[in-house]
Amino acid sequence: MISANNITLRLGKRALFEDVNIKFTQGNCYGLIGANGAGKSTFLRILTGELEPTKGEIAITPGERLSFLKQNHFAYDEYTVLDTVIMGNARLYQIMKEKDAIYMKEDFSEEDGIRASELEAEFADMNGWEAESDAATLLNGLGIESELHYTMMKDLLGAQKVKVLLAQALFGNPDILLLDEPTNHLDLDAIAWLEEFLINFNNTVIVVSHDRYFLNKVCTHTADIDYGKIQLYAGNYDFWYESSQLLIRQMKEANKKKEEKIKELQEFISRFSANASKSKQATSRKRALEKIQLDEIKPSSRKYPYIDFRPNREIGNEVLTVEGISKTIDGVKVLDNISFILGHDDKVAFVGSNEFAKTTLFQILTGELEPDEGTYKWGVTTSQAYFPKDNSAEFDNDDTIVDWLTQYSEIKDATYVRGFLGRMLFAGEDGVKKVKILSGGEKVRCMLSKLMISGANILLLDEPTDHLDMESITALNNGLIKFPGVLLFSSRDHQIVQTTANRIIELLPNGTMIDKITTYDEYLESDAMARKRTVYTAKKEEEDFTE
């Protein structure tokens, strides 16, 4: 068990947390939620001991081991992947290295023998002989293939490093597991594996995530940070949302009844206070009036943007024809003979672990890259707006937010442009901020303003939820559901894919594709999907064996 006792954290004059008391117990998974800036990651840092609170203390049951997801992707560059994972249990890794150092001694003494014996006993008690196989199982589950296990961390891609550090946090069955945005940069297969791992994990988990589907799958409780307090709810994210909304409605209804009672008492007192025969009753009602207290209903610190994509024109029957597109990059065939035709009602989610293939296809369809082979043709009634995964080039200038967005607007009017920025919560002086100093989340909201102001009838979105808070993701989800045009998108947010897409195209690791008219959940459950996974797994095992 881990508990926060009277935790207060002050940053200058501002109190981020004020007298927080909460217990996290074994066998439960807690989703820590709150608006951007509420202090979710900061609270996790307090729990890990990285950050000292202004007041209060963190208590952990004696003998329990705490593990948390590291954020520094370069800290382990000089270690192998397997060693990095095992370092998740610092004591076990220390024993392994001390044993190795003793056995490598040329002048092995009696004292060395005694020390080695002690270490071997402790090593066995910690299931050390299974450490490498356990670490390999975690890595394989997250999509880090066996041939990479002895690779140096510095030689991995960024997304691969994220998976290794996640495996490190999960390693060795920690008593308390803290995860800050564990699904970031994970493909949908790795997220599904992590969901099952946490569902079957028997110890304490505290997780921060913007993935609503993920929180609904794994969480038994929800801890809501708002106004420096943490309110605990039994149930997952959806249960918290319904419960919190119900509580507000009940408080408003109770206040309404109290206000009606107050009015009734005030009218009686005003009418009869000067009446001698009614004076006792008036006095009694005055006392009753003094006892009525309205419930204080604080508005939530959460703010929801308004996302509404409205096309300037309808799409005709001819939308997009893709014929035999292939692309090889750095000797790897990323796309292999990709062909499909889109209709005017299609909302297509591009899924699968081949992240690079999705981005490459989007870049080809928007004219940023040329295919090696094949062609594509947009219909004459179509207009496209593109949300790239990497938007850094868009903001590498000295424009203010208003000037930046105005260049994409047909109507060059500051008031008109500010209206779209206002929808994305850029108010007042925000409009004169330089775009190059914006945070990741602010840049994404600017990009969504650009898509809205474009009036395009086809949206191409490559991981649009990165850097967004839960409220913005919810607003984007609603906007995509309402959008009357054609969608081509990739997203790690399961709920967006499930509620928005009516067609699934999976880009496979070999560059080919599977195309189905179906919802995402139905696709995952389909026999075809199961057969495809079995064939691919068998093929990989055969390759590993022959190597």
Side-chain angles (χ1 to χ4, degrees):
M1 182 185 77
I2 182 170
S3 62
N5 303 315
N6 297 315
I7 292 295
T8 295
L9 179 67
R10 295 190 178 278
L11 302 175
K13 294 182 179 180
R14 179 193 175 201
L16 190 60
F17 298 108
E18 192 77 50
D19 293 325
V20 169
N21 291 280
I22 189 169
K23 291 181 180 179
F24 303 99
T25 57
Q26 183 177 358
N28 293 318
C29 179
Y30 299 85
L32 190 62
I33 65 171
N36 271 5
K40 301 182 293 294
S41 297
T42 301
F43 187 70
L44 286 189
R45 290 179 61 205
I46 292 173
L47 291 177
T48 65
E50 284 188 357
L51 186 63
E52 190 73 22
T54 307
K55 187 182 75 172
E57 62 177 9
I58 301 299
I60 298 176
T61 302
E64 291 194 347
R65 183 170 71 87
L66 182 148
S67 179
F68 61 96
L69 177 58
K70 309 290 196 306
Q71 301 295 328
N72 185 350
H73 300 167
F74 305 100
Y76 301 91
D77 277 358
E78 300 307 316
Y79 297 92
T80 67
V81 167
L82 209 60
D83 274 358
T84 300
V85 175
I86 296 173
M87 289 167 75
N89 188 333
R91 177 55 186 159
L92 178 61
Y93 185 76
Q94 180 185 358
I95 291 171
M96 291 173 66
K97 291 305 166 186
E98 188 176 349
K99 282 200 311 139
D100 290 345
I102 290 175
Y103 290 139
M104 288 177 65
K105 284 186 174 182
E106 293 183 3
D107 53 342
F108 190 87
S109 65
E110 182 178 349
E111 288 183 355
D112 290 331
I114 293 171
R115 179 58 180 160
S117 176
E118 293 171 347
L119 291 172
E120 290 290 3
E122 189 175 356
F123 186 70
D125 287 341
M126 299 178 73
N127 293 321
W129 298 112
E130 286 79 40
E132 289 194 1
S133 62
D134 289 346
T137 298
L138 291 172
L139 289 167
N140 290 332
L142 288 167
I144 301 296
E145 297 171 355
S146 300
E147 55 265 31
L148 294 176
H149 292 186
Y150 291 94
T151 302
M152 300 299 290
M153 284 287 286
K154 64 184 177 183
D155 296 325
L156 296 186
L157 300 173
Q160 292 172 323
K161 287 184 178 182
V162 171
K163 291 181 176 182
V164 175
L165 293 182
L166 179 55
Q168 180 193 75
L170 304 178
F171 177 75
N173 194 38
D175 301 289
I176 301 162
L177 178 60
L178 308 183
L179 301 174
D180 192 356
E181 298 292 356
T183 62
N184 278 3
H185 307 293
L186 294 188
D187 54 76
L188 291 169
D189 286 341
I191 292 173
W193 180 90
L194 179 61
E195 288 168 357
E196 289 303 312
F197 181 94
L198 294 179
I199 288 169
N200 295 307
F201 188 73
N202 293 321
N203 295 331
T204 304
V205 182
I206 306 171
V207 58
V208 171
S209 177
H210 290 142
D211 188 329
R212 297 158 297 163
Y213 182 88
F214 177 76
L215 292 176
N216 282 329
K217 284 276 285 189
V218 305
C219 292
T220 60
H221 294 72
T222 301
D224 177 34
I225 301 179
D226 212 353
Y227 291 106
K229 302 293 184 181
I230 302 182
Q231 180 70 39
L232 189 61
Y233 296 80
N236 61 16
Y237 177 81
D238 280 351
F239 184 85
W240 161 80
Y241 184 79
E242 294 298 329
S243 298
S244 60
Q245 294 301 305
L246 176 61
L247 180 60
I248 292 172
R249 286 197 300 270
Q250 288 175 337
M251 291 173 70
K252 286 182 177 179
E253 289 171 3
N255 274 356
K256 185 178 179 181
K257 290 179 180 178
K258 289 178 182 178
E259 287 168 352
E260 290 173 353
K261 186 65 175 176
I262 289 171
K263 184 178 179 181
E264 177 189 327
L265 292 173
Q266 287 175 337
E267 287 177 350
F268 186 93
I269 294 166
S270 176
R271 184 178 178 186
F272 295 109
S273 59
N275 188 321
S277 64
K278 298 281 189 179
S279 62
K280 286 187 178 180
Q281 294 178 42
T283 302
S284 174
R285 280 166 171 74
K286 283 181 182 179
R287 286 196 291 266
L289 181 61
E290 291 169 356
K291 293 179 181 178
I292 297 177
Q293 297 291 328
L294 294 177
D295 294 322
E296 182 184 4
I297 304 176
K298 275 190 175 182
S300 173
S301 59
R302 292 175 172 81
K303 294 182 179 179
Y304 290 83
Y306 177 67
I307 299 178
D308 186 21
F309 304 109
R310 296 186 182 181
N312 291 334
R313 65 184 297 187
E314 291 186 9
I315 304 178
N317 291 327
E318 294 184 6
V319 178
L320 174 65
T321 301
V322 176
E323 293 185 351
I325 283 183
S326 295
K327 184 69 177 179
T328 298
I329 298 177
D330 295 334
V332 177
K333 198 151 197 176
V334 180
L335 300 172
D336 186 6
N337 194 30
I338 299 297
S339 299
F340 57 88
I341 298 173
L342 293 191
H344 57 72
D345 294 323
D346 280 337
K347 289 181 168 56
V348 187
F350 289 82
V351 303
S353 59
N354 198 346
E355 301 273 322
F356 191 42
K358 302 172 205 171
T359 297
T360 301
L361 179 60
F362 287 154
Q363 289 175 329
I364 289 173
L365 295 179
T366 55
E368 290 189 8
L369 282 179
E370 288 292 329
D372 297 334
E373 301 172 20
T375 61
Y376 67 92
K377 181 181 179 182
W378 291 104
V380 294
T381 61
T382 65
S383 56
Q384 303 86 39
Y386 177 42
F387 183 106
K389 179 180 288 189
D390 181 5
N391 59 37
S392 56
E394 287 269 3
F395 302 98
D396 187 17
N397 55 70
D398 289 319
D399 288 345
T400 65
I401 296 177
V402 170
D403 290 340
W404 177 87
L405 187 58
T406 300
Q407 68 182 311
Y408 300 110
S409 174
E410 290 184 4
I411 302 173
K412 306 299 182 181
D413 177 74
T415 302
Y416 176 78
V417 171
R418 281 181 178 273
F420 285 88
L421 292 172
R423 295 180 186 181
M424 297 308 300
L425 308 180
F426 292 108
E429 296 300 316
D430 288 339
V432 297
K433 289 172 69 173
K434 300 284 188 179
V435 294
K436 64 183 179 183
I437 65 167
L438 298 179
S439 68
E442 288 174 324
K443 288 177 180 177
V444 171
R445 287 191 279 126
C446 280
M447 291 298 296
L448 293 173
S449 297
K450 175 186 172 183
L451 264 61
M452 284 192 287
I453 210 169
S454 73
N457 53 26
I458 295 179
L459 301 179
L460 298 95
L461 311 174
D462 192 359
E463 300 296 344
T465 63
D466 286 356
H467 305 293
L468 288 183
D469 58 22
M470 195 90 73
E471 294 72 40
S472 297
I473 292 172
T474 300
L476 174 61
N477 198 165
N478 293 335
L480 293 179
I481 290 171
K482 292 187 299 181
F483 178 58
V486 171
L487 282 176
L488 298 86
F489 71 100
S490 67
S491 177
R492 299 183 190 92
D493 190 296
H494 186 117
Q495 193 160 332
I496 283 183
V497 178
Q498 170 59 21
T499 58
T500 303
N502 56 22
R503 181 174 176 181
I504 304 295
I505 293 180
E506 179 174 12
L507 297 177
L508 302 175
N510 61 7
T512 60
M513 59 175 268
I514 296 174
D515 185 0
K516 294 286 183 180
I517 307 294
T518 182
T519 66
Y520 184 56
D521 283 348
E522 290 170 344
Y523 182 70
L524 291 177
E525 294 170 1
S526 68
D527 291 337
M529 186 70 169
R531 285 197 300 273
K532 186 272 299 181
R533 292 188 188 283
T534 302
V535 170
Y536 178 69
T537 302
K539 181 174 181 293
K540 276 300 302 170
E541 289 176 348
E542 182 179 348
E543 290 172 353
D544 292 342
F545 180 78
T546 56
E547 288 173 359

